[in-house]
Amino acid sequence: MSIWIAPRGRLYRLLLLVVLLAAGLFSVSYLHWDDRLFYWAKEQRVGAAEQAQSIWLPGYRAVLQGKPVQGLEDDELSGLTYSAETNTLFTVSGKRPQLIELTLKGEVMRRIDLHGFANPEGVEMLSGGRLAIIDERKRTLTTFKLSALTHSLEFTDLASYDLGFADAGNKGFEGIAWDGRNERVLLGKERGPLGLFSLPFPGEEGAAGTLQPIASGHLFLRDISSLSYDARTGHALVLSDESRLLLEVDEQGEPVSFISLAGGMNGLQRGIAQAEGVTMDAAGNIYIVSEPNLFYVLRKEPASAPPAQAD
């Protein structure tokens, strides 16, 4: 009996083909390329009227990109929220716990030390001038008000709510958004498992409700790093660091539109690595921060408009 052995060159090509096929299948599964293609094709059939009723991310282009937030080179920015009262932005730093107020151009206005916080990952403006911070390691949502003279906050002095998932470790809640229509907080769990949740959240004296999952089985993301809510449409933005995607979902958690944060897409000359915070202002402009200290602005305008470059 004879055994056939493939020639060395043919065997090499066969092994290379197997490796390439395995890598391709892994990429399709890991990065959800099949889902991206499906929803991209679906976007092409959406008419102008339907686009006008949504945020419609394909219409956005980067107009400021990769601007370093001065003085925060050694920090790790995470989370982002817009304050209509002050027309400013707030973000948090997890490496050295701080709450940082920024202008709409990404310039530091003030820093507020967060004493007793372990790993702040998300920040959001609520109703009545309240701010909320998510501490991923402590698994808490903490609320408070700021004054013009506030320069530090003590965790033990603030109202805090246990978000559960005691075994989440470093895969807990990172995204937070305020849904003023329904008086609730929207929360995004990073992964393990990844998911969106709703937490009824009344006035200062009321007790928080029960955390409830939001059906969101079609989120083609590797993780959730930040959330933002658009009161005009009732839709939310879901940011993914690992997938380099920004996704718009409706009130049922179903995808509506998305854009890639890779270089060469949507006016981005370079991809946004480690995107950790997203928010929208009153005019519908989108702001993103990425670790360690980079700042981006996306705006709806003609695609031919050249993006501004950071100094």
Side-chain angles (χ1 to χ4, degrees):
M1 182 178 67
S2 61
I3 300 176
W4 180 81
I5 301 177
R8 181 175 298 178
R10 185 180 299 175
L11 181 60
Y12 173 79
R13 290 193 296 270
L14 181 61
L15 289 174
L16 181 61
L17 179 61
V18 170
V19 170
L20 290 175
L21 285 173
L25 290 172
F26 174 79
S27 295
V28 168
S29 174
Y30 185 84
L31 297 175
H32 298 276
W33 287 113
D34 51 343
D35 292 317
R36 294 192 196 195
L37 180 60
F38 172 80
Y39 282 103
W40 177 85
K42 188 176 179 180
E43 283 181 344
Q44 309 313 302
R45 301 191 297 271
V46 176
E50 190 175 347
Q51 291 180 23
Q53 295 175 356
S54 67
I55 300 171
W56 198 247
L57 292 172
Y60 280 81
R61 294 292 181 273
V63 296
L64 180 62
Q65 52 187 297
K67 176 180 178 178
V69 181
Q70 297 299 323
L72 300 176
E73 295 82 1
D74 297 325
D75 294 281
E76 296 178 352
L77 299 184
S78 184
L80 193 63
T81 189
Y82 169 74
S83 170
E85 291 185 7
T86 58
N87 197 36
T88 60
L89 305 169
F90 288 90
T91 185
V92 288
S93 167
K95 198 169 185 180
R96 294 181 298 174
Q98 296 178 86
L99 174 65
I100 303 156
E101 187 172 11
L102 305 172
T103 69
L104 300 186
K105 295 182 179 180
E107 298 160 349
V108 175
M109 297 177 64
R110 64 169 164 167
R111 304 187 197 188
I112 298 166
D113 292 327
L114 299 175
H115 299 296
F117 286 77
N119 186 27
E121 285 285 353
V123 59
E124 180 68 3
M125 286 297 306
L126 308 182
S127 61
R130 293 178 298 165
L131 272 162
I133 289 178
I134 288 180
D135 191 307
E136 185 177 21
R137 196 169 302 158
K138 286 179 174 285
R139 306 181 309 280
T140 55
L141 185 156
T142 304
T143 63
F144 53 90
K145 285 186 176 182
L146 291 179
S147 74
L149 301 177
T150 303
H151 294 290
S152 66
L153 294 167
E154 294 284 346
F155 181 84
T156 55
D157 294 338
L158 307 176
S160 293
Y161 303 86
D162 187 350
L163 296 177
F165 290 91
D167 298 327
N170 199 38
K171 300 177 182 179
F173 290 99
E174 288 201 0
I176 177 173
W178 174 244
D179 175 3
R181 286 184 177 184
N182 300 296
E183 291 288 312
R184 64 177 182 168
V185 169
L186 302 178
L187 297 166
K189 189 172 180 297
E190 182 182 7
R191 58 181 184 271
L194 173 151
L196 297 176
F197 294 80
S198 169
L199 178 65
F201 214 80
E204 295 179 62
E205 303 302 325
T210 303
L211 191 68
Q212 296 289 340
I214 297 174
S216 50
H218 296 95
L219 295 182
F220 46 99
L221 305 171
R222 290 295 305 167
D223 72 328
I224 294 176
S225 57
S226 187
L227 298 177
S228 185
Y229 180 78
D230 179 28
R232 295 166 298 184
T233 61
H235 294 180
L237 295 178
V238 185
L239 181 66
S240 174
D241 160 27
E242 295 184 14
S243 298
R244 290 198 180 189
L245 280 181
L246 183 60
L247 179 66
E248 174 188 2
V249 300
D250 61 20
E251 293 182 345
Q252 286 72 47
E254 290 296 318
V256 176
S257 70
F258 75 97
I259 54 173
S260 170
L261 302 180
M265 306 296 291
N266 300 92
L268 290 168
Q269 293 188 348
R270 294 182 180 179
I272 303 180
Q274 293 183 281
E276 292 289 341
V278 65
T279 194
M280 294 181 69
D281 67 14
N285 299 310
I286 295 175
Y287 302 85
I288 294 175
V289 291
S290 69
E291 291 184 359
N293 67 327
L294 299 183
F295 183 80
Y296 300 80
V297 182
L298 287 79
R299 181 178 300 140
K300 273 192 175 179
E301 58 180 355
S304 58
Q309 295 302 302
D311 295 333

